[in-house]
PDB file of all heavy atoms in Angstrom:
ATOM      1  N   ASN A   1      -9.277  -4.852  -8.075  1.00 98.00           N
ATOM      2  CA  ASN A   1      -9.742  -4.324  -9.359  1.00 98.00           C
ATOM      3  C   ASN A   1      -8.673  -3.420  -9.979  1.00 98.00           C
ATOM      4  O   ASN A   1      -8.312  -3.560 -11.151  1.00 98.00           O
ATOM      5  CB  ASN A   1     -11.051  -3.563  -9.140  1.00 98.00           C
ATOM      6  CG  ASN A   1     -11.863  -3.383 -10.410  1.00 98.00           C
ATOM      7  OD1 ASN A   1     -11.527  -3.900 -11.469  1.00 98.00           O
ATOM      8  ND2 ASN A   1     -12.949  -2.650 -10.301  1.00 98.00           N
ATOM      9  N   LEU A   2      -8.118  -2.513  -9.183  1.00 98.00           N
ATOM     10  CA  LEU A   2      -7.133  -1.563  -9.695  1.00 98.00           C
ATOM     11  C   LEU A   2      -5.799  -2.224 -10.030  1.00 98.00           C
ATOM     12  O   LEU A   2      -5.053  -1.723 -10.884  1.00 98.00           O
ATOM     13  CB  LEU A   2      -6.914  -0.448  -8.666  1.00 98.00           C
ATOM     14  CG  LEU A   2      -8.088   0.540  -8.560  1.00 98.00           C
ATOM     15  CD1 LEU A   2      -8.036   1.304  -7.248  1.00 98.00           C
ATOM     16  CD2 LEU A   2      -8.066   1.511  -9.746  1.00 98.00           C
ATOM     17  N   ASN A   3      -5.494  -3.341  -9.400  1.00 98.00           N
ATOM     18  CA  ASN A   3      -4.249  -4.057  -9.711  1.00 98.00           C
ATOM     19  C   ASN A   3      -4.204  -4.511 -11.163  1.00 98.00           C
ATOM     20  O   ASN A   3      -3.124  -4.697 -11.733  1.00 98.00           O
ATOM     21  CB  ASN A   3      -4.097  -5.262  -8.784  1.00 98.00           C
ATOM     22  CG  ASN A   3      -2.807  -6.017  -9.035  1.00 98.00           C
ATOM     23  OD1 ASN A   3      -1.708  -5.492  -8.825  1.00 98.00           O
ATOM     24  ND2 ASN A   3      -2.916  -7.257  -9.500  1.00 98.00           N
ATOM     25  N   LEU A   4      -5.369  -4.663 -11.773  1.00 98.00           N
ATOM     26  CA  LEU A   4      -5.427  -5.018 -13.190  1.00 98.00           C
ATOM     27  C   LEU A   4      -4.662  -3.995 -14.029  1.00 98.00           C
ATOM     28  O   LEU A   4      -3.924  -4.362 -14.965  1.00 98.00           O
ATOM     29  CB  LEU A   4      -6.885  -5.093 -13.636  1.00 98.00           C
ATOM     30  CG  LEU A   4      -7.172  -5.353 -15.112  1.00 98.00           C
ATOM     31  CD1 LEU A   4      -6.610  -6.705 -15.545  1.00 98.00           C
ATOM     32  CD2 LEU A   4      -8.672  -5.306 -15.365  1.00 98.00           C
ATOM     33  N   LEU A   5      -4.795  -2.712 -13.714  1.00 98.00           N
ATOM     34  CA  LEU A   5      -4.101  -1.662 -14.471  1.00 98.00           C
ATOM     35  C   LEU A   5      -2.597  -1.739 -14.246  1.00 98.00           C
ATOM     36  O   LEU A   5      -1.810  -1.548 -15.180  1.00 98.00           O
ATOM     37  CB  LEU A   5      -4.635  -0.289 -14.062  1.00 98.00           C
ATOM     38  CG  LEU A   5      -6.151  -0.073 -14.224  1.00 98.00           C
ATOM     39  CD1 LEU A   5      -6.521   1.347 -13.836  1.00 98.00           C
ATOM     40  CD2 LEU A   5      -6.600  -0.388 -15.654  1.00 98.00           C
ATOM     41  N   THR A   6      -2.198  -2.037 -13.015  1.00 98.00           N
ATOM     42  CA  THR A   6      -0.771  -2.171 -12.710  1.00 98.00           C
ATOM     43  C   THR A   6      -0.173  -3.334 -13.491  1.00 98.00           C
ATOM     44  O   THR A   6       0.947  -3.246 -14.017  1.00 98.00           O
ATOM     45  CB  THR A   6      -0.578  -2.388 -11.201  1.00 98.00           C
ATOM     46  OG1 THR A   6      -1.158  -1.286 -10.492  1.00 98.00           O
ATOM     47  CG2 THR A   6       0.894  -2.503 -10.849  1.00 98.00           C
ATOM     48  N   ARG A   7      -0.916  -4.435 -13.574  1.00 98.00           N
ATOM     49  CA  ARG A   7      -0.424  -5.588 -14.336  1.00 98.00           C
ATOM     50  C   ARG A   7      -0.270  -5.228 -15.815  1.00 98.00           C
ATOM     51  O   ARG A   7       0.742  -5.588 -16.444  1.00 98.00           O
ATOM     52  CB  ARG A   7      -1.376  -6.767 -14.186  1.00 98.00           C
ATOM     53  CG  ARG A   7      -0.894  -7.969 -14.981  1.00 98.00           C
ATOM     54  CD  ARG A   7      -1.849  -9.131 -14.992  1.00 98.00           C
ATOM     55  NE  ARG A   7      -1.210 -10.261 -15.686  1.00 98.00           N
ATOM     56  CZ  ARG A   7      -1.817 -11.403 -15.960  1.00 98.00           C
ATOM     57  NH1 ARG A   7      -3.078 -11.593 -15.621  1.00 98.00           N
ATOM     58  NH2 ARG A   7      -1.165 -12.357 -16.595  1.00 98.00           N
ATOM     59  N   ILE A   8      -1.252  -4.538 -16.381  1.00 98.00           N
ATOM     60  CA  ILE A   8      -1.186  -4.164 -17.793  1.00 98.00           C
ATOM     61  C   ILE A   8       0.011  -3.251 -18.038  1.00 98.00           C
ATOM     62  O   ILE A   8       0.735  -3.384 -19.040  1.00 98.00           O
ATOM     63  CB  ILE A   8      -2.503  -3.501 -18.235  1.00 98.00           C
ATOM     64  CG1 ILE A   8      -3.645  -4.526 -18.199  1.00 98.00           C
ATOM     65  CG2 ILE A   8      -2.375  -2.913 -19.640  1.00 98.00           C
ATOM     66  CD1 ILE A   8      -5.019  -3.919 -18.381  1.00 98.00           C
ATOM     67  N   ASN A   9       0.251  -2.307 -17.117  1.00 97.00           N
ATOM     68  CA  ASN A   9       1.427  -1.433 -17.243  1.00 97.00           C
ATOM     69  C   ASN A   9       2.701  -2.256 -17.293  1.00 97.00           C
ATOM     70  O   ASN A   9       3.585  -2.020 -18.143  1.00 97.00           O
ATOM     71  CB  ASN A   9       1.497  -0.470 -16.053  1.00 97.00           C
ATOM     72  CG  ASN A   9       0.511   0.672 -16.160  1.00 97.00           C
ATOM     73  OD1 ASN A   9      -0.096   0.898 -17.208  1.00 97.00           O
ATOM     74  ND2 ASN A   9       0.341   1.398 -15.071  1.00 97.00           N
ATOM     75  N   ARG A  10       2.813  -3.219 -16.400  1.00 96.00           N
ATOM     76  CA  ARG A  10       4.049  -4.002 -16.275  1.00 96.00           C
ATOM     77  C   ARG A  10       4.260  -4.927 -17.462  1.00 96.00           C
ATOM     78  O   ARG A  10       5.383  -5.044 -17.979  1.00 96.00           O
ATOM     79  CB  ARG A  10       3.990  -4.811 -14.975  1.00 96.00           C
ATOM     80  CG  ARG A  10       5.266  -5.626 -14.712  1.00 96.00           C
ATOM     81  CD  ARG A  10       5.154  -6.454 -13.436  1.00 96.00           C
ATOM     82  NE  ARG A  10       4.155  -7.508 -13.539  1.00 96.00           N
ATOM     83  CZ  ARG A  10       3.004  -7.516 -12.884  1.00 96.00           C
ATOM     84  NH1 ARG A  10       2.681  -6.506 -12.073  1.00 96.00           N
ATOM     85  NH2 ARG A  10       2.164  -8.527 -13.012  1.00 96.00           N
ATOM     86  N   GLU A  11       3.210  -5.595 -17.896  1.00 96.00           N
ATOM     87  CA  GLU A  11       3.370  -6.657 -18.893  1.00 96.00           C
ATOM     88  C   GLU A  11       3.174  -6.195 -20.327  1.00 96.00           C
ATOM     89  O   GLU A  11       3.662  -6.840 -21.250  1.00 96.00           O
ATOM     90  CB  GLU A  11       2.399  -7.805 -18.583  1.00 96.00           C
ATOM     91  CG  GLU A  11       2.686  -8.460 -17.237  1.00 96.00           C
ATOM     92  CD  GLU A  11       1.890  -9.727 -17.007  1.00 96.00           C
ATOM     93  OE1 GLU A  11       1.475 -10.367 -17.998  1.00 96.00           O
ATOM     94  OE2 GLU A  11       1.683 -10.085 -15.839  1.00 96.00           O
ATOM     95  N   LEU A  12       2.474  -5.061 -20.526  1.00 96.00           N
ATOM     96  CA  LEU A  12       2.149  -4.636 -21.892  1.00 96.00           C
ATOM     97  C   LEU A  12       2.661  -3.243 -22.239  1.00 96.00           C
ATOM     98  O   LEU A  12       2.206  -2.629 -23.203  1.00 96.00           O
ATOM     99  CB  LEU A  12       0.622  -4.693 -22.104  1.00 96.00           C
ATOM    100  CG  LEU A  12      -0.038  -6.055 -21.903  1.00 96.00           C
ATOM    101  CD1 LEU A  12      -1.527  -5.976 -22.224  1.00 96.00           C
ATOM    102  CD2 LEU A  12       0.621  -7.122 -22.776  1.00 96.00           C
ATOM    103  N   GLU A  13       3.595  -2.732 -21.425  1.00 93.00           N
ATOM    104  CA  GLU A  13       4.205  -1.422 -21.694  1.00 93.00           C
ATOM    105  C   GLU A  13       3.147  -0.331 -21.812  1.00 93.00           C
ATOM    106  O   GLU A  13       3.182   0.501 -22.727  1.00 93.00           O
ATOM    107  CB  GLU A  13       5.057  -1.479 -22.966  1.00 93.00           C
ATOM    108  CG  GLU A  13       6.174  -2.510 -22.899  1.00 93.00           C
ATOM    109  CD  GLU A  13       6.950  -2.611 -24.203  1.00 93.00           C
ATOM    110  OE1 GLU A  13       6.523  -1.976 -25.193  1.00 93.00           O
ATOM    111  OE2 GLU A  13       7.953  -3.330 -24.230  1.00 93.00           O
ATOM    112  N   ALA A  14       2.213  -0.331 -20.866  1.00 97.00           N
ATOM    113  CA  ALA A  14       1.146   0.674 -20.843  1.00 97.00           C
ATOM    114  C   ALA A  14       1.481   1.762 -19.828  1.00 97.00           C
ATOM    115  O   ALA A  14       2.438   1.648 -19.048  1.00 97.00           O
ATOM    116  CB  ALA A  14      -0.184   0.013 -20.485  1.00 97.00           C
ATOM    117  N   ASP A  15       0.679   2.843 -19.846  1.00 97.00           N
ATOM    118  CA  ASP A  15       0.940   3.958 -18.920  1.00 97.00           C
ATOM    119  C   ASP A  15      -0.323   4.384 -18.171  1.00 97.00           C
ATOM    120  O   ASP A  15      -0.573   5.567 -17.964  1.00 97.00           O
ATOM    121  CB  ASP A  15       1.563   5.140 -19.663  1.00 97.00           C
ATOM    122  CG  ASP A  15       0.676   5.695 -20.774  1.00 97.00           C
ATOM    123  OD1 ASP A  15      -0.448   5.161 -20.991  1.00 97.00           O
ATOM    124  OD2 ASP A  15       1.094   6.667 -21.435  1.00 97.00           O
ATOM    125  N   PHE A  16      -1.140   3.409 -17.759  1.00 98.00           N
ATOM    126  CA  PHE A  16      -2.280   3.715 -16.906  1.00 98.00           C
ATOM    127  C   PHE A  16      -1.806   4.378 -15.615  1.00 98.00           C
ATOM    128  O   PHE A  16      -0.786   3.982 -15.036  1.00 98.00           O
ATOM    129  CB  PHE A  16      -3.027   2.434 -16.526  1.00 98.00           C
ATOM    130  CG  PHE A  16      -4.010   1.945 -17.547  1.00 98.00           C
ATOM    131  CD1 PHE A  16      -3.697   0.857 -18.352  1.00 98.00           C
ATOM    132  CD2 PHE A  16      -5.254   2.557 -17.689  1.00 98.00           C
ATOM    133  CE1 PHE A  16      -4.609   0.385 -19.284  1.00 98.00           C
ATOM    134  CE2 PHE A  16      -6.168   2.089 -18.623  1.00 98.00           C
ATOM    135  CZ  PHE A  16      -5.851   1.000 -19.420  1.00 98.00           C
ATOM    136  N   ASP A  17      -2.552   5.367 -15.145  1.00 98.00           N
ATOM    137  CA  ASP A  17      -2.355   5.915 -13.809  1.00 98.00           C
ATOM    138  C   ASP A  17      -3.469   5.352 -12.931  1.00 98.00           C
ATOM    139  O   ASP A  17      -4.613   5.813 -12.997  1.00 98.00           O
ATOM    140  CB  ASP A  17      -2.444   7.445 -13.847  1.00 98.00           C
ATOM    141  CG  ASP A  17      -2.339   8.073 -12.463  1.00 98.00           C
ATOM    142  OD1 ASP A  17      -2.097   7.326 -11.485  1.00 98.00           O
ATOM    143  OD2 ASP A  17      -2.528   9.298 -12.354  1.00 98.00           O
ATOM    144  N   PRO A  18      -3.180   4.333 -12.113  1.00 98.00           N
ATOM    145  CA  PRO A  18      -4.242   3.731 -11.305  1.00 98.00           C
ATOM    146  C   PRO A  18      -4.949   4.734 -10.398  1.00 98.00           C
ATOM    147  O   PRO A  18      -6.139   4.552 -10.082  1.00 98.00           O
ATOM    148  CB  PRO A  18      -3.491   2.668 -10.485  1.00 98.00           C
ATOM    149  CG  PRO A  18      -2.320   2.304 -11.339  1.00 98.00           C
ATOM    150  CD  PRO A  18      -1.907   3.607 -11.980  1.00 98.00           C
ATOM    151  N   ASP A  19      -4.245   5.808  -9.995  1.00 98.00           N
ATOM    152  CA  ASP A  19      -4.879   6.820  -9.137  1.00 98.00           C
ATOM    153  C   ASP A  19      -5.914   7.635  -9.893  1.00 98.00           C
ATOM    154  O   ASP A  19      -6.688   8.373  -9.265  1.00 98.00           O
ATOM    155  CB  ASP A  19      -3.817   7.752  -8.555  1.00 98.00           C
ATOM    156  CG  ASP A  19      -2.927   7.054  -7.541  1.00 98.00           C
ATOM    157  OD1 ASP A  19      -3.389   6.050  -6.947  1.00 98.00           O
ATOM    158  OD2 ASP A  19      -1.771   7.494  -7.353  1.00 98.00           O
ATOM    159  N   ALA A  20      -5.932   7.526 -11.215  1.00 98.00           N
ATOM    160  CA  ALA A  20      -6.904   8.268 -12.015  1.00 98.00           C
ATOM    161  C   ALA A  20      -8.154   7.437 -12.302  1.00 98.00           C
ATOM    162  O   ALA A  20      -8.990   7.817 -13.116  1.00 98.00           O
ATOM    163  CB  ALA A  20      -6.265   8.727 -13.326  1.00 98.00           C
ATOM    164  N   PHE A  21      -8.287   6.290 -11.617  1.00 98.00           N
ATOM    165  CA  PHE A  21      -9.460   5.432 -11.744  1.00 98.00           C
ATOM    166  C   PHE A  21      -9.937   5.042 -10.348  1.00 98.00           C
ATOM    167  O   PHE A  21      -9.156   5.035  -9.390  1.00 98.00           O
ATOM    168  CB  PHE A  21      -9.133   4.156 -12.541  1.00 98.00           C
ATOM    169  CG  PHE A  21      -8.885   4.384 -13.995  1.00 98.00           C
ATOM    170  CD1 PHE A  21      -7.632   4.821 -14.439  1.00 98.00           C
ATOM    171  CD2 PHE A  21      -9.889   4.172 -14.937  1.00 98.00           C
ATOM    172  CE1 PHE A  21      -7.386   5.046 -15.790  1.00 98.00           C
ATOM    173  CE2 PHE A  21      -9.648   4.385 -16.288  1.00 98.00           C
ATOM    174  CZ  PHE A  21      -8.398   4.822 -16.714  1.00 98.00           C
ATOM    175  N   ARG A  22     -11.211   4.723 -10.230  1.00 98.00           N
ATOM    176  CA  ARG A  22     -11.728   4.208  -8.962  1.00 98.00           C
ATOM    177  C   ARG A  22     -12.568   2.957  -9.226  1.00 98.00           C
ATOM    178  O   ARG A  22     -13.088   2.750 -10.327  1.00 98.00           O
ATOM    179  CB  ARG A  22     -12.577   5.260  -8.237  1.00 98.00           C
ATOM    180  CG  ARG A  22     -13.888   5.619  -8.913  1.00 98.00           C
ATOM    181  CD  ARG A  22     -14.727   6.548  -8.028  1.00 98.00           C
ATOM    182  NE  ARG A  22     -15.935   6.995  -8.730  1.00 98.00           N
ATOM    183  CZ  ARG A  22     -17.070   6.293  -8.778  1.00 98.00           C
ATOM    184  NH1 ARG A  22     -17.142   5.110  -8.174  1.00 98.00           N
ATOM    185  NH2 ARG A  22     -18.122   6.760  -9.435  1.00 98.00           N
ATOM    186  N   HIS A  23     -12.678   2.151  -8.198  1.00 98.00           N
ATOM    187  CA  HIS A  23     -13.461   0.916  -8.223  1.00 98.00           C
ATOM    188  C   HIS A  23     -14.947   1.227  -8.061  1.00 98.00           C
ATOM    189  O   HIS A  23     -15.333   2.067  -7.252  1.00 98.00           O
ATOM    190  CB  HIS A  23     -12.985   0.031  -7.071  1.00 98.00           C
ATOM    191  CG  HIS A  23     -13.913  -1.086  -6.698  1.00 98.00           C
ATOM    192  ND1 HIS A  23     -14.045  -2.235  -7.453  1.00 98.00           N
ATOM    193  CD2 HIS A  23     -14.756  -1.235  -5.633  1.00 98.00           C
ATOM    194  CE1 HIS A  23     -14.913  -3.042  -6.856  1.00 98.00           C
ATOM    195  NE2 HIS A  23     -15.358  -2.466  -5.760  1.00 98.00           N
ATOM    196  N   ARG A  24     -15.794   0.536  -8.842  1.00 98.00           N
ATOM    197  CA  ARG A  24     -17.236   0.611  -8.661  1.00 98.00           C
ATOM    198  C   ARG A  24     -17.840  -0.772  -8.869  1.00 98.00           C
ATOM    199  O   ARG A  24     -17.530  -1.447  -9.852  1.00 98.00           O
ATOM    200  CB  ARG A  24     -17.883   1.593  -9.652  1.00 98.00           C
ATOM    201  CG  ARG A  24     -19.385   1.808  -9.387  1.00 98.00           C
ATOM    202  CD  ARG A  24     -19.981   2.781 -10.378  1.00 98.00           C
ATOM    203  NE  ARG A  24     -20.247   2.138 -11.653  1.00 98.00           N
ATOM    204  CZ  ARG A  24     -20.494   2.797 -12.789  1.00 98.00           C
ATOM    205  NH1 ARG A  24     -20.459   4.123 -12.806  1.00 98.00           N
ATOM    206  NH2 ARG A  24     -20.728   2.140 -13.916  1.00 98.00           N
ATOM    207  N   ALA A  25     -18.684  -1.191  -7.923  1.00 98.00           N
ATOM    208  CA  ALA A  25     -19.379  -2.475  -8.056  1.00 98.00           C
ATOM    209  C   ALA A  25     -20.777  -2.335  -7.487  1.00 98.00           C
ATOM    210  O   ALA A  25     -20.952  -1.801  -6.385  1.00 98.00           O
ATOM    211  CB  ALA A  25     -18.616  -3.582  -7.325  1.00 98.00           C
ATOM    212  N   ARG A  26     -21.783  -2.801  -8.240  1.00 97.00           N
ATOM    213  CA  ARG A  26     -23.142  -2.802  -7.703  1.00 97.00           C
ATOM    214  C   ARG A  26     -23.988  -3.839  -8.432  1.00 97.00           C
ATOM    215  O   ARG A  26     -23.694  -4.232  -9.564  1.00 97.00           O
ATOM    216  CB  ARG A  26     -23.792  -1.425  -7.771  1.00 97.00           C
ATOM    217  CG  ARG A  26     -23.885  -0.773  -9.121  1.00 97.00           C
ATOM    218  CD  ARG A  26     -24.693   0.524  -9.021  1.00 97.00           C
ATOM    219  NE  ARG A  26     -24.622   1.301 -10.241  1.00 97.00           N
ATOM    220  CZ  ARG A  26     -24.087   2.500 -10.321  1.00 97.00           C
ATOM    221  NH1 ARG A  26     -23.534   3.058  -9.260  1.00 97.00           N
ATOM    222  NH2 ARG A  26     -24.073   3.164 -11.466  1.00 97.00           N
ATOM    223  N   TYR A  27     -25.028  -4.264  -7.721  1.00 97.00           N
ATOM    224  CA  TYR A  27     -25.904  -5.307  -8.231  1.00 97.00           C
ATOM    225  C   TYR A  27     -26.957  -4.715  -9.151  1.00 97.00           C
ATOM    226  O   TYR A  27     -27.609  -3.722  -8.819  1.00 97.00           O
ATOM    227  CB  TYR A  27     -26.577  -6.032  -7.066  1.00 97.00           C
ATOM    228  CG  TYR A  27     -27.477  -7.171  -7.490  1.00 97.00           C
ATOM    229  CD1 TYR A  27     -26.964  -8.270  -8.181  1.00 97.00           C
ATOM    230  CD2 TYR A  27     -28.837  -7.162  -7.191  1.00 97.00           C
ATOM    231  CE1 TYR A  27     -27.785  -9.325  -8.562  1.00 97.00           C
ATOM    232  CE2 TYR A  27     -29.660  -8.213  -7.564  1.00 97.00           C
ATOM    233  CZ  TYR A  27     -29.138  -9.284  -8.253  1.00 97.00           C
ATOM    234  OH  TYR A  27     -29.952 -10.322  -8.634  1.00 97.00           O
ATOM    235  N   ASP A  28     -27.120  -5.324 -10.312  1.00 96.00           N
ATOM    236  CA  ASP A  28     -28.167  -4.972 -11.265  1.00 96.00           C
ATOM    237  C   ASP A  28     -29.223  -6.069 -11.181  1.00 96.00           C
ATOM    238  O   ASP A  28     -29.036  -7.165 -11.702  1.00 96.00           O
ATOM    239  CB  ASP A  28     -27.572  -4.887 -12.671  1.00 96.00           C
ATOM    240  CG  ASP A  28     -28.590  -4.481 -13.746  1.00 96.00           C
ATOM    241  OD1 ASP A  28     -29.797  -4.716 -13.542  1.00 96.00           O
ATOM    242  OD2 ASP A  28     -28.173  -3.946 -14.790  1.00 96.00           O
ATOM    243  N   ALA A  29     -30.326  -5.773 -10.498  1.00 94.00           N
ATOM    244  CA  ALA A  29     -31.356  -6.785 -10.266  1.00 94.00           C
ATOM    245  C   ALA A  29     -31.971  -7.269 -11.576  1.00 94.00           C
ATOM    246  O   ALA A  29     -32.314  -8.448 -11.713  1.00 94.00           O
ATOM    247  CB  ALA A  29     -32.429  -6.234  -9.336  1.00 94.00           C
ATOM    248  N   GLY A  30     -32.132  -6.361 -12.539  1.00 94.00           N
ATOM    249  CA  GLY A  30     -32.726  -6.747 -13.818  1.00 94.00           C
ATOM    250  C   GLY A  30     -31.881  -7.766 -14.562  1.00 94.00           C
ATOM    251  O   GLY A  30     -32.401  -8.732 -15.129  1.00 94.00           O
ATOM    252  N   ALA A  31     -30.556  -7.570 -14.530  1.00 94.00           N
ATOM    253  CA  ALA A  31     -29.641  -8.491 -15.207  1.00 94.00           C
ATOM    254  C   ALA A  31     -29.275  -9.679 -14.319  1.00 94.00           C
ATOM    255  O   ALA A  31     -28.714 -10.666 -14.803  1.00 94.00           O
ATOM    256  CB  ALA A  31     -28.375  -7.754 -15.628  1.00 94.00           C
ATOM    257  N   GLY A  32     -29.581  -9.584 -13.020  1.00 96.00           N
ATOM    258  CA  GLY A  32     -29.257 -10.671 -12.100  1.00 96.00           C
ATOM    259  C   GLY A  32     -27.767 -10.834 -11.887  1.00 96.00           C
ATOM    260  O   GLY A  32     -27.282 -11.954 -11.720  1.00 96.00           O
TER     261      GLY A  32
END
C-alpha cells in the first residue's frame, strides 16, 4: 500500500513522506 506513494514520488515529481502515512484495511459488512 505504501509503495504507491514511493511510485508517485518517483514518476510524478511528488514529495510524499511514506513514513507520515500508515496502512489501514478492514471489512465493511454493510458495503460487502
Side-chain angles (χ1 to χ4, degrees):
N1 200 5
L2 287 161
N3 182 65
L4 176 62
L5 303 182
T6 302
R7 179 186 185 185
I8 293 170
N9 283 348
R10 182 182 67 250
E11 297 189 24
L12 301 183
E13 301 176 353
D15 60 0
F16 277 104
D17 176 5
D19 291 335
F21 290 82
R22 68 173 175 84
H23 163 75
R24 186 180 79 195
R26 57 174 170 243
Y27 182 62
D28 182 335

